[in-house]
Each structure stands twice: as C-alpha cells, then as structure tokens.
Amino acid sequence: MDILTPVDGSDCSFRALGFATELADRYDGTVDVVHFAEAESAATDAVLDRAQRVLDAQDVDTDPEVSTDLEPEFRPSDRVGEDILDLVERRGYDHVVMGHSGAGALERAILGSTVETVVNADRVPVTVVP
C-alpha cells in the first residue's frame, strides 16, 4: 500500500502522519509526505523538519517534500485538494491519510476544505484523522 500524507503544519496533520506510518508498517506499505506552499521558506522548512522527526521516530525511510506548484486562487483549499488528487494520479497512491481540524461552516464556505475536496472526489480511499 502506497500512502500519501499531506502535512500543513497543524497538529492534526502530524497526528495523521503518525497514523499513516503505523498503517504502512502494519500493511507493509510506504508513506510519502508532501507539504504544499506557494514558495519555500523558513516556515516550510519547519514543517518538513517536524515531519522528518515523526518519520525518524517511526523508522520510516522517506524524505518529506515541498510542492510549490500552487497557483494562488480565491479558494486555496480547493486548489490544494486538487493538487493532492493530481499527485495521487501521477504517482499511483493507493490511499491518502489527512488531518482535519474540524473548521466551522463559515470557514469552509469562505475557504473551502482541502479534505472535503479529496474525499468528495471519490478517486482514492481517504482516512481523515482529527
């Protein structure tokens, strides 16, 4: 099982990463970690460093990556969701494990939800970790 786990720096995304590493270990799979950003910065480095610590603690041999292919749009969460789905199709992932902070209805109406975009596309099994 090849698992993709996007991380955004939130605690719930790192809980999802921890779950993904356990799932991969249990089913003899692999985990790839990606962080989407408009440009690399100290903030993206901090996210990748934290992700690497989680991977190292679970003895997972992979390096987190940053994707800067985003094009800013009015609904950036939807765009990130589409970028995740594009990555799933290009690389052939079997499963996506994502964290979700449980944003309220108003925030989802304004910004959209990356998780909702991926889940509603119904292209790949998704596990959502709160």
Side-chain angles (χ1 to χ4, degrees), residues 85-103:
L85 292 167
D86 289 344
L87 194 58
V88 165
E89 288 181 21
R90 283 197 321 265
R91 295 188 183 172
Y93 292 105
D94 303 305
H95 199 95
V96 175
V97 177
M98 302 176 70
H100 189 268
S101 62

mmCIF file of all heavy atoms in Angstrom, residues 85-103:
data_model
loop_
_atom_site.group_PDB
_atom_site.id
_atom_site.type_symbol
_atom_site.label_atom_id
_atom_site.label_comp_id
_atom_site.label_asym_id
_atom_site.label_seq_id
_atom_site.Cartn_x
_atom_site.Cartn_y
_atom_site.Cartn_z
ATOM 1 N N LEU A 85 -4.987 15.437 -5.360
ATOM 2 C CA LEU A 85 -5.564 14.446 -6.271
ATOM 3 C C LEU A 85 -4.700 14.256 -7.512
ATOM 4 O O LEU A 85 -4.527 13.126 -7.991
ATOM 5 C CB LEU A 85 -6.987 14.853 -6.656
ATOM 6 C CG LEU A 85 -7.998 14.789 -5.515
ATOM 7 C CD1 LEU A 85 -9.295 15.513 -5.906
ATOM 8 C CD2 LEU A 85 -8.270 13.351 -5.110
ATOM 9 N N ASP A 86 -4.133 15.333 -8.043
ATOM 10 C CA ASP A 86 -3.232 15.223 -9.189
ATOM 11 C C ASP A 86 -2.006 14.386 -8.835
ATOM 12 O O ASP A 86 -1.569 13.538 -9.621
ATOM 13 C CB ASP A 86 -2.780 16.608 -9.674
ATOM 14 C CG ASP A 86 -3.888 17.391 -10.344
ATOM 15 O OD1 ASP A 86 -4.922 16.793 -10.717
ATOM 16 O OD2 ASP A 86 -3.713 18.617 -10.490
ATOM 17 N N LEU A 87 -1.457 14.612 -7.645
ATOM 18 C CA LEU A 87 -0.293 13.853 -7.193
ATOM 19 C C LEU A 87 -0.641 12.372 -7.019
ATOM 20 O O LEU A 87 0.142 11.490 -7.386
ATOM 21 C CB LEU A 87 0.225 14.454 -5.884
ATOM 22 C CG LEU A 87 1.599 14.022 -5.409
ATOM 23 C CD1 LEU A 87 2.668 14.316 -6.454
ATOM 24 C CD2 LEU A 87 1.939 14.745 -4.107
ATOM 25 N N VAL A 88 -1.821 12.109 -6.484
ATOM 26 C CA VAL A 88 -2.288 10.722 -6.330
ATOM 27 C C VAL A 88 -2.325 10.027 -7.695
ATOM 28 O O VAL A 88 -1.849 8.895 -7.844
ATOM 29 C CB VAL A 88 -3.681 10.680 -5.653
ATOM 30 C CG1 VAL A 88 -4.337 9.314 -5.821
ATOM 31 C CG2 VAL A 88 -3.563 11.044 -4.183
ATOM 32 N N GLU A 89 -2.860 10.699 -8.685
ATOM 33 C CA GLU A 89 -2.966 10.103 -10.013
ATOM 34 C C GLU A 89 -1.599 9.940 -10.674
ATOM 35 O O GLU A 89 -1.317 8.893 -11.264
ATOM 36 C CB GLU A 89 -3.890 10.942 -10.888
ATOM 37 C CG GLU A 89 -5.344 10.806 -10.490
ATOM 38 C CD GLU A 89 -6.274 11.611 -11.379
ATOM 39 O OE1 GLU A 89 -5.884 11.952 -12.517
ATOM 40 O OE2 GLU A 89 -7.398 11.893 -10.921
ATOM 41 N N ARG A 90 -0.748 10.939 -10.567
ATOM 42 C CA ARG A 90 0.580 10.871 -11.202
ATOM 43 C C ARG A 90 1.447 9.775 -10.607
ATOM 44 O O ARG A 90 2.187 9.106 -11.320
ATOM 45 C CB ARG A 90 1.316 12.210 -11.085
ATOM 46 C CG ARG A 90 0.843 13.258 -12.043
ATOM 47 C CD ARG A 90 1.824 14.409 -12.200
ATOM 48 N NE ARG A 90 2.486 14.840 -10.992
ATOM 49 C CZ ARG A 90 2.099 15.842 -10.200
ATOM 50 N NH1 ARG A 90 1.027 16.528 -10.506
ATOM 51 N NH2 ARG A 90 2.787 16.156 -9.126
ATOM 52 N N ARG A 91 1.371 9.601 -9.299
ATOM 53 C CA ARG A 91 2.269 8.657 -8.626
ATOM 54 C C ARG A 91 1.596 7.332 -8.248
ATOM 55 O O ARG A 91 2.254 6.421 -7.783
ATOM 56 C CB ARG A 91 2.859 9.301 -7.385
ATOM 57 C CG ARG A 91 3.764 10.484 -7.743
ATOM 58 C CD ARG A 91 4.479 10.988 -6.540
ATOM 59 N NE ARG A 91 5.284 12.159 -6.834
ATOM 60 C CZ ARG A 91 5.900 12.884 -5.926
ATOM 61 N NH1 ARG A 91 5.800 12.550 -4.639
ATOM 62 N NH2 ARG A 91 6.603 13.928 -6.263
ATOM 63 N N GLY A 92 0.293 7.251 -8.428
ATOM 64 C CA GLY A 92 -0.400 5.986 -8.205
ATOM 65 C C GLY A 92 -0.563 5.574 -6.749
ATOM 66 O O GLY A 92 -0.498 4.393 -6.430
ATOM 67 N N TYR A 93 -0.819 6.530 -5.867
ATOM 68 C CA TYR A 93 -1.032 6.184 -4.453
ATOM 69 C C TYR A 93 -2.312 5.377 -4.293
ATOM 70 O O TYR A 93 -3.289 5.590 -4.999
ATOM 71 C CB TYR A 93 -1.097 7.449 -3.589
ATOM 72 C CG TYR A 93 0.224 8.152 -3.501
ATOM 73 C CD1 TYR A 93 0.458 9.313 -4.207
ATOM 74 C CD2 TYR A 93 1.251 7.636 -2.719
ATOM 75 C CE1 TYR A 93 1.689 9.955 -4.142
ATOM 76 C CE2 TYR A 93 2.481 8.264 -2.648
ATOM 77 C CZ TYR A 93 2.694 9.429 -3.362
ATOM 78 O OH TYR A 93 3.912 10.043 -3.294
ATOM 79 N N ASP A 94 -2.274 4.470 -3.307
ATOM 80 C CA ASP A 94 -3.429 3.632 -3.015
ATOM 81 C C ASP A 94 -4.336 4.226 -1.947
ATOM 82 O O ASP A 94 -5.495 3.830 -1.819
ATOM 83 C CB ASP A 94 -2.968 2.257 -2.487
ATOM 84 C CG ASP A 94 -2.058 1.557 -3.468
ATOM 85 O OD1 ASP A 94 -2.468 1.387 -4.630
ATOM 86 O OD2 ASP A 94 -0.936 1.194 -3.065
ATOM 87 N N HIS A 95 -3.796 5.166 -1.176
ATOM 88 C CA HIS A 95 -4.524 5.670 -0.009
ATOM 89 C C HIS A 95 -3.975 7.048 0.355
ATOM 90 O O HIS A 95 -2.789 7.305 0.166
ATOM 91 C CB HIS A 95 -4.308 4.709 1.167
ATOM 92 C CG HIS A 95 -5.310 4.832 2.257
ATOM 93 N ND1 HIS A 95 -6.431 4.024 2.325
ATOM 94 C CD2 HIS A 95 -5.377 5.644 3.327
ATOM 95 C CE1 HIS A 95 -7.134 4.355 3.394
ATOM 96 N NE2 HIS A 95 -6.513 5.340 4.027
ATOM 97 N N VAL A 96 -4.839 7.900 0.881
ATOM 98 C CA VAL A 96 -4.430 9.206 1.402
ATOM 99 C C VAL A 96 -4.840 9.270 2.862
ATOM 100 O O VAL A 96 -5.965 8.897 3.208
ATOM 101 C CB VAL A 96 -5.079 10.372 0.622
ATOM 102 C CG1 VAL A 96 -4.742 11.713 1.246
ATOM 103 C CG2 VAL A 96 -4.660 10.346 -0.845
ATOM 104 N N VAL A 97 -3.932 9.715 3.712
ATOM 105 C CA VAL A 97 -4.238 9.933 5.119
ATOM 106 C C VAL A 97 -4.028 11.419 5.383
ATOM 107 O O VAL A 97 -2.939 11.951 5.141
ATOM 108 C CB VAL A 97 -3.347 9.086 6.054
ATOM 109 C CG1 VAL A 97 -3.650 9.409 7.515
ATOM 110 C CG2 VAL A 97 -3.542 7.608 5.784
ATOM 111 N N MET A 98 -5.089 12.093 5.846
ATOM 112 C CA MET A 98 -5.047 13.541 6.041
ATOM 113 C C MET A 98 -5.570 13.913 7.420
ATOM 114 O O MET A 98 -6.466 13.252 7.938
ATOM 115 C CB MET A 98 -5.940 14.255 5.006
ATOM 116 C CG MET A 98 -5.591 13.971 3.583
ATOM 117 S SD MET A 98 -6.753 14.762 2.438
ATOM 118 C CE MET A 98 -6.320 16.487 2.663
ATOM 119 N N GLY A 99 -5.031 14.978 7.951
ATOM 120 C CA GLY A 99 -5.569 15.549 9.174
ATOM 121 C C GLY A 99 -6.621 16.580 8.842
ATOM 122 O O GLY A 99 -6.599 17.185 7.773
ATOM 123 N N HIS A 100 -7.554 16.773 9.765
ATOM 124 C CA HIS A 100 -8.602 17.783 9.575
ATOM 125 C C HIS A 100 -8.909 18.429 10.909
ATOM 126 O O HIS A 100 -9.175 17.736 11.890
ATOM 127 C CB HIS A 100 -9.861 17.142 9.003
ATOM 128 C CG HIS A 100 -10.881 18.136 8.578
ATOM 129 N ND1 HIS A 100 -11.876 18.579 9.405
ATOM 130 C CD2 HIS A 100 -11.047 18.784 7.409
ATOM 131 C CE1 HIS A 100 -12.626 19.457 8.756
ATOM 132 N NE2 HIS A 100 -12.143 19.605 7.552
ATOM 133 N N SER A 101 -8.866 19.740 10.907
ATOM 134 C CA SER A 101 -9.031 20.471 12.164
ATOM 135 C C SER A 101 -10.480 20.660 12.566
ATOM 136 O O SER A 101 -10.763 21.170 13.640
ATOM 137 C CB SER A 101 -8.358 21.845 12.055
ATOM 138 O OG SER A 101 -8.990 22.592 11.030
ATOM 139 N N GLY A 102 -11.417 20.288 11.706
ATOM 140 C CA GLY A 102 -12.827 20.449 12.045
ATOM 141 C C GLY A 102 -13.280 21.888 11.975
ATOM 142 O O GLY A 102 -14.016 22.360 12.822
ATOM 143 N N ALA A 103 -12.831 22.606 10.952
ATOM 144 C CA ALA A 103 -13.206 24.011 10.792
ATOM 145 C C ALA A 103 -14.723 24.149 10.707
ATOM 146 O O ALA A 103 -15.420 23.249 10.258
ATOM 147 C CB ALA A 103 -12.573 24.573 9.527
#
